[in-house]
Amino acid sequence: MGAYRSQGRAVVIDNTSQFRMDKDVPLVVPEVNPEDIKKNKGIIANPNCSTIQMLVALKLCMISARSSRIVVSTYQAVSGAGQRRWQSWKAQLNGKKTVKKFPIKSRII
């Protein structure tokens, strides 16, 4: 679905990571920045699951505390990256080189 862009008035909501850092695709959490939906060019992205939950909960805290920055660390299992990344990680543990841009072995990603 990430490669698809709406051709009409419909708006694609992309739940993958493909467009999250794309400057031309608004990153939207409806409870936090609903006005950004209007900036779409046929597609909007949404953050990952831990980010969405945190932002919804923190929006009021950040407004009342007038915070402008928050630093968060999350730790997720390799299996969350899918079967291919899981197999790549297992191969790396056995000393095999993989062609992935970011090796997983002995790293936190």
Side-chain angles (χ1 to χ4, degrees), residues 48-100:
N48 71 10
C49 55
S50 57
T51 303
I52 288 174
Q53 294 173 23
M54 175 190 62
L55 290 175
V56 171
L58 287 176
K59 181 182 180 185
L60 293 176
C61 295
M62 293 184 76
I63 290 170
S64 64
R66 298 179 191 230
S67 297
S68 61
R69 183 174 180 220
I70 183 168
V71 177
V72 175
S73 297
T74 64
Y75 304 93
Q76 299 177 11
V78 172
S79 60
Q83 181 69 25
R84 281 189 254 167
R85 291 297 277 162
W86 172 258
Q87 289 173 340
S88 175
W89 174 72
K90 286 173 56 176
Q92 290 170 28
L93 289 178
N94 292 323
K96 297 178 184 172
K97 292 193 179 219
T98 61
V99 295
K100 294 295 177 189

Side-chain angles (χ1 to χ4, degrees), residues 11 18 29 39-40 44 55 96 102 104:
V11 177
Q18 183 172 350
V29 177
K39 299 175 185 175
N40 80 79
I44 62 174
L55 290 175
K96 297 178 184 172
F102 302 105
I104 297 175

Side-chain angles (χ1 to χ4, degrees), residues 14-62:
D14 185 80
N15 194 35
T16 70
S17 60
Q18 183 172 350
F19 295 102
R20 288 183 184 148
M21 301 299 286
D22 187 322
K23 64 180 175 59
D24 295 323
V25 178
L27 186 64
V28 177
V29 177
E31 298 84 355
V32 177
N33 61 336
E35 66 281 357
D36 287 357
I37 293 172
K38 295 176 185 173
K39 299 175 185 175
N40 80 79
K41 296 177 183 174
I43 188 164
I44 62 174
N46 67 345
N48 71 10
C49 55
S50 57
T51 303
I52 288 174
Q53 294 173 23
M54 175 190 62
L55 290 175
V56 171
L58 287 176
K59 181 182 180 185
L60 293 176
C61 295
M62 293 184 76

